[in-house]
Amino acid sequence: GLGDVYKRQVIVLLIALSVLAAFCGQMKVKQVLGAICPQIYWTALIAIVIATAAAAGRLLNKPALLMIHTGLGLVLIGGIWGSQAGHTLAERLLGISKIPRGYLLLSEKEVENSVFSEDFGLISGELAFGIRLNDFRLEYYKEKQPQTYGVIKDYVSDVSIIENAKEVEHKTIEVNHPLHYRGYHFYQHSYDPDQLNYSILFVRSDSGLYIVYAGFLLVSIGSIVRFWFVNLPKRLKLNG
C-alpha cells in the first residue's frame, strides 16, 4: 500500500544519511540537513505528525502497534525539539532561550559561563550561571599488567556551580558521568595534555531529551508486547 511505499522511502533516506555520516562525517550530514529550506522542513514535520495522528485511529484495536508508532513519533518530535531549529522555535513561541550545544573552556580557579561554537571561533551564548574548575586530574590503571599499567583510565574535572557569587552545587565530572544542571548536560570532552590546568566540557541542552526517552520506552514496550504476547503465541499455536 501507500504506507509501505512511504516506509521504504524513509528507510532508504536513513540508509543514505548513515552512509554519508560514515564516509563524510556528521558535520557533512548537518550541512546537508541545514541546507533544507526551513519552510519545507517544518511543513514536512507537520505533515508527518498529521499522518501519524490520522493512522492512530486504525491502531486503537492494536495497542502494541499503537505504542510503537507513538514512540517513533515522540522520538522524532523530541529530536526536532532538541535541534537548532527547535530551540529557535521555542525562543520565538515560548520565550525559552537556551544554547543547543557547544564547548565550555575552564581554567583552574576561574569561573566561566561563555559557551563556544564547535570550531571554538565564536561564542554561542552565555549560561545564566558560572562553572568553576577546582581541579583537573588524570587517573591511571594501577594493576601491574603490561597491557594496562600506566594507561589513562579516566579524566576527572572537579567543578562547582556558581550563582550570585556563591557555590550552589559541587560535582565531579568524569567520562560518561556528566553534570546535569538547569536544563544542560556537561560532559568531559578534553583537557590540557601538558600542564593539566584547564579542561574542556561539552555542553548540551536537554530540550526534547525526555520526550525521546519516553519514545524509546514506548517502542521497547510495544515491541516486546507485539513479539512475545501477540506474534509468538500465534506462531506456537500454528506450529503445534
Side-chain angles (χ1 to χ4, degrees), residues 41-42 45 71-87 204-213 216:
Y41 178 83
W42 287 108
L45 174 62
L72 292 174
L74 289 177
V75 170
L76 174 63
I77 293 172
I80 297 298
W81 194 249
S83 67
Q84 178 67 56
H87 280 79
R204 183 65 185 262
S205 165
D206 67 359
S207 294
L209 179 63
Y210 298 107
I211 299 177
V212 173
Y213 285 165
F216 279 125

Side-chain angles (χ1 to χ4, degrees), residues 29-201:
V29 175
K30 290 180 64 177
Q31 292 174 2
V32 172
L33 295 179
I36 300 176
C37 178
Q39 288 79 6
I40 297 176
Y41 178 83
W42 287 108
T43 301
L45 174 62
I46 294 172
I48 291 172
V49 173
I50 294 175
T52 302
R58 294 178 293 176
L59 298 175
L60 290 177
N61 60 340
K62 299 178 181 179
L65 287 178
L66 180 60
M67 282 191 289
I68 293 174
H69 282 75
T70 302
L72 292 174
L74 289 177
V75 170
L76 174 63
I77 293 172
I80 297 298
W81 194 249
S83 67
Q84 178 67 56
H87 280 79
T88 301
L89 185 66
E91 185 172 3
R92 289 179 180 177
L93 298 183
L94 305 176
I96 301 174
S97 179
K98 294 180 67 177
I99 305 169
R101 57 188 294 161
Y103 294 91
L104 195 66
L105 281 65
L106 301 178
S107 299
E108 281 193 358
K109 312 306 180 184
E110 298 291 334
V111 179
E112 300 288 349
N113 71 336
S114 297
V115 178
F116 288 84
S117 59
E118 293 179 321
D119 59 1
F120 298 98
L122 298 173
I123 295 179
S124 300
E126 294 185 348
L127 301 171
F129 52 91
I131 297 184
R132 182 181 66 215
L133 178 64
N134 302 314
D135 180 57
F136 176 83
R137 64 183 181 276
L138 300 177
E139 294 184 352
Y140 298 86
Y141 286 100
K142 297 181 180 180
E143 296 82 359
K144 293 186 177 181
Q145 299 177 4
Q147 64 271 27
T148 60
Y149 185 72
V151 176
I152 296 176
K153 180 180 180 180
D154 202 359
Y155 316 136
V156 181
S157 292
D158 184 275
V159 301
S160 296
I161 303 294
I162 307 297
E163 290 198 59
N164 299 319
K166 296 181 180 179
E167 180 180 304
V168 296
E169 187 166 336
H170 179 267
K171 172 74 174 182
T172 299
I173 302 175
E174 305 176 53
V175 176
N176 298 324
H177 292 83
L179 161 67
H180 182 243
Y181 187 77
R182 288 185 59 176
Y184 292 96
H185 283 91
F186 300 87
Y187 299 87
Q188 182 64 53
H189 176 73
S190 186
Y191 63 98
D192 178 5
D194 298 322
Q195 301 181 11
L196 303 181
N197 59 0
Y198 77 78
S199 175
I200 300 177
L201 303 182

Side-chain angles (χ1 to χ4, degrees), residues 1-10 58:
L2 187 59
D4 293 331
V5 174
Y6 289 148
K7 290 179 182 178
R8 286 195 291 268
Q9 291 176 347
V10 172
R58 294 178 293 176

